[in-house]
Amino acid sequence: MPEPTRRPNIVFVLTDDHAAHSIGAYGSVVNRTPYIDEIAERGVRLDNCFVTNSLCSPSRASILTGTYSHINGVTTLWTPIDASQPTFISQLRAAGYRTGIVGKWHMGEEAASNPQNFDYWDVLINQGEYFDPRFLSADGVRRESGYATDIITDLAMQWVDGLEGDDPWCLLVWHKAPHRPWEPDEKHADLYSDPIPVPGTFWDDYSTRSASARRALMRIADYINSEDLKVEPPEGLSYEELALWKYQRYMEDYLRCVASVDDNVGRLTGWLRERGELDDTLMVYSSDQGFFLGDHGWFDKRFMYEESLRMPLVMSYPRAIPAGTVHDGIVTNVDFARTLLGAAGVDAHDRMQGRSFWGDLVGDPTAPAAEGMYYRYWENDDWFHKAPAHYGYRDDRYKLIFYYNSGYGLPGSGFFEYPTEWELFDLETDPHELRNVYDDPGYAEIREQLKVKLYDAQAAVGDKPWTGEQPATDERFSVLARFTGSSGMNPVVPASGK
């Protein structure tokens, strides 16, 4: 393969809550995504890309800064980013790249959290709207007419088309879709009306799992609401029939939103071809985390279970990455920053964590492959989903999870705490994570070995284990009051918490 003659342009498409198992290249049985698949065909599909904190704002902060949540400060949906900290964007810009972002930012509302080190930024307000969305730029707030996924793509291409000179550019096209409440555009409104396959784990009863998993308010049968459904369900359905009806409604709209994203990926690819720059552009498609699509009966994310943990990641750069490559090494969203900088030939900031996997993709590995990955979800017992705070370690076969069930007084965490619990899964014999073997004597030695690996991985990234210390009661109450008012009644939670 010929050596690149110039530094690549970068187009980084990031979606919100797009599960890998709803992408054709990853074997989807529920939908088609030909344009996302084309990126993989032109380049590489990464089969073991994982998020280190499965929540929108924290994942985006880790992607940008190349650091874990406890380093960049964005641990929950309610902890805004200090946008002045080093990012792969600041490094690229200092090295002569023009930099732009259009779409979802969602890392704080105050001025200090607005995008920095971008030549051009135009981002949705908070979570953003699907139709006629508001945008915030350096010029203030305005409303654009149309559908958000199309508008974001339009604005992104317009910025690049207006650039002068030959300096390379990096463009972040960060979509709202397919985030809740899953509002498709008219063009795709009739797709996926035929019955959609139901996951084999839909009726999971969590029989060997922790109470921490059972507390989550994520079951489609019970917690998909009227805003999500958009139409009234038929009368006379049993509980089981209604659950399956809700699943179909949820999936129809979710997949329709994905279809719009896929079409817009195709628009970007066609635009690059017309410009004669497809071979000179590193094109990246990913999502900020995975998502439950009826798996275990759930929607949403947050957990360290596979459907939530796994991120789709496909990349193409014809001048350097062989077409049709599959990479099965473990990588994480914390690795993105170093990897993109490696592709551009730009030094990473000393503060950045993770490992560049760029060398793996072009046949020149520069660092040992990762043996496993460390995960930590901080937003304990949140109002909407009651997901438990936990951390854990995953290697190529096993996954160990510790539910410490405390919010440390962090914004977004609930008032209550619960006893600690452990789970252990053998992904080789139990890929759907239906059998917790933590207390199985046959796994006792493996369990203790994994604990050592967990604590080593935790220490290696500068994090600390749960010690059982509780925040002061008044501090914890002040967090609760933020959600309920001083009386503890009438909760007020903005759309970003959904």
Side-chain angles (χ1 to χ4, degrees):
M1 182 166 293
E3 288 292 320
T5 57
R6 52 162 286 178
R7 294 185 292 176
N9 301 318
I10 300 171
V11 174
F12 183 179
V13 181
L14 185 73
T15 44
D16 196 314
D17 294 346
H18 190 187
H21 53 305
S22 59
I23 295 176
Y26 285 93
S28 173
V29 298
V30 296
N31 68 328
R32 296 177 62 252
T33 52
Y35 297 112
I36 298 170
D37 299 349
E38 185 186 353
I39 300 175
E41 292 163 5
R42 287 198 313 269
V44 59
R45 184 189 77 222
L46 291 95
D47 281 354
N48 287 302
C49 178
F50 303 114
V51 67
T52 52
N53 181 353
S54 188
L55 200 57
C56 304
S57 306
S59 179
R60 289 161 188 268
S62 288
I63 288 169
L64 275 172
T65 65
T67 60
Y68 286 80
S69 299
H70 62 282
I71 300 294
N72 61 52
V74 186
T75 51
T76 74
L77 290 175
W78 301 82
T79 48
I81 194 171
D82 173 0
S84 68
Q85 59 188 294
T87 64
F88 74 84
I89 290 296
S90 66
Q91 298 300 104
L92 288 174
R93 195 180 191 208
Y97 271 74
R98 278 82 58 85
T99 56
I101 181 172
V102 185
K104 183 171 178 179
W105 180 251
H106 197 215
M107 286 181 282
E109 300 300 302
E110 46 279 321
S113 298
N114 288 340
Q116 295 188 28
N117 290 298
F118 290 92
D119 297 298
Y120 166 65
W121 58 276
D122 209 353
V123 297
L124 298 171
I125 305 296
N126 200 301
Q127 188 61 253
E129 301 97 355
Y130 274 104
F131 292 95
D132 301 333
R134 293 167 298 150
F135 281 82
L136 173 67
S137 70
D139 297 325
V141 178
R142 73 186 191 287
R143 190 176 293 277
E144 291 277 350
S145 298
Y147 190 63
T149 309
D150 297 330
I151 295 167
I152 289 166
T153 305
D154 291 341
L155 294 173
M157 294 188 299
Q158 288 170 18
W159 173 67
V160 173
D161 286 340
L163 294 176
E164 298 179 355
D166 296 326
D167 291 334
W169 44 265
C170 175
L171 171 64
L172 309 187
V173 186
W174 286 15
H175 290 293
K176 170 186 175 64
H179 193 281
R180 195 180 187 185
W182 314 299
E183 296 176 358
D185 63 356
E186 184 176 353
K187 177 182 176 182
H188 301 90
D190 295 325
L191 286 180
Y192 302 111
S193 297
D194 293 334
I196 297 165
V198 179
T201 62
F202 187 78
W203 298 111
D204 188 354
D205 62 3
Y206 322 120
S207 60
T208 70
R209 254 70 57 74
S210 62
S212 301
R214 294 165 184 259
R215 275 196 307 275
L217 307 185
M218 291 167 24
R219 201 160 183 95
I220 288 172
D222 303 311
Y223 300 109
I224 287 284
N225 61 43
S226 295
E227 180 187 6
D228 301 324
L229 296 173
K230 306 173 188 68
V231 295
E232 288 297 314
E235 296 182 359
L237 298 181
S238 67
Y239 178 85
E240 291 78 11
E241 291 169 337
L242 182 58
L244 291 171
W245 182 88
K246 289 178 179 179
Y247 166 79
Q248 295 292 327
R249 278 294 305 128
Y250 156 50
M251 288 294 290
E252 286 168 2
D253 282 350
Y254 178 93
L255 296 177
R256 290 163 181 168
C257 291
V258 169
S260 180
V261 168
D262 189 64
D263 281 356
N264 277 277
V265 169
R267 291 180 62 205
L268 287 169
T269 300
W271 166 73
L272 287 170
R273 280 199 179 99
E274 290 176 7
R275 288 175 58 91
E277 293 186 312
L278 187 60
D279 286 353
D280 293 310
T281 300
L282 171 60
M283 197 166 184
V284 181
Y285 182 89
S286 188
S287 171
D288 53 5
Q289 62 257 324
F291 210 66
F292 294 108
L293 303 180
D295 317 282
H296 307 289
W298 286 335
F299 66 101
D300 208 66
K301 57 264 184 180
R302 292 172 165 81
F303 279 100
M304 199 184 170
Y305 299 132
E306 288 293 285
E307 296 86 359
S308 168
L309 184 71
R310 186 178 302 278
M311 302 168 67
L313 178 59
V314 293
M315 306 170 68
S316 69
Y317 179 30
R319 295 211 186 276
I321 300 175
T325 305
V326 177
H327 180 65
D328 61 3
I330 291 176
V331 304
T332 75
N333 60 336
V334 171
D335 300 331
F336 284 21
R338 283 186 175 271
T339 300
L340 293 174
L341 291 171
V346 175
D347 290 337
H349 194 279
D350 290 343
R351 181 175 183 261
M352 289 178 173
Q353 300 173 293
R355 168 189 180 272
S356 171
F357 52 85
W358 180 248
D360 300 347
L361 306 185
V362 297
D364 183 25
T366 56
E371 294 183 6
M373 57 83 58
Y374 173 66
Y375 178 89
R376 186 162 191 170
Y377 174 79
W378 296 78
E379 193 175 293
N380 186 61
D381 199 45
D382 65 289
W383 183 269
F384 272 98
H385 298 292
K386 310 296 285 186
H390 57 290
Y391 52 73
Y393 179 82
R394 184 202 192 281
D395 62 18
D396 60 358
R397 177 167 177 175
Y398 298 105
K399 183 185 295 180
L400 181 68
I401 307 173
F402 176 61
Y403 298 98
Y404 60 93
N405 285 311
S406 173
Y408 281 99
L410 287 170
S413 288
F415 183 65
F416 298 113
E417 293 168 350
Y418 301 90
T420 60
E421 298 179 283
W422 289 89
E423 290 180 340
L424 171 63
F425 298 98
D426 183 339
L427 301 174
E428 182 176 291
T429 63
D430 179 28
H432 300 297
E433 299 169 302
L434 297 173
R435 179 171 174 255
N436 172 23
V437 295
Y438 182 81
D439 292 320
D440 186 327
Y443 286 87
E445 183 177 354
I446 291 168
R447 180 187 69 206
E448 298 310 309
Q449 291 172 352
L450 287 169
K451 285 184 179 180
V452 173
K453 292 182 178 181
L454 166 62
Y455 294 128
D456 285 348
Q458 190 173 57
V461 301
D463 198 9
K464 297 178 181 179
W466 165 246
T467 64
E469 295 180 3
Q470 314 279 354
T473 301
D474 56 349
E475 178 185 355
R476 292 160 62 210
F477 185 78
S478 71
V479 174
L480 177 67
R482 245 175 266 177
F483 288 82
T484 62
S486 59
S487 66
M489 302 295 289
N490 302 320
V492 179
V493 185
S496 62
K498 292 184 180 179

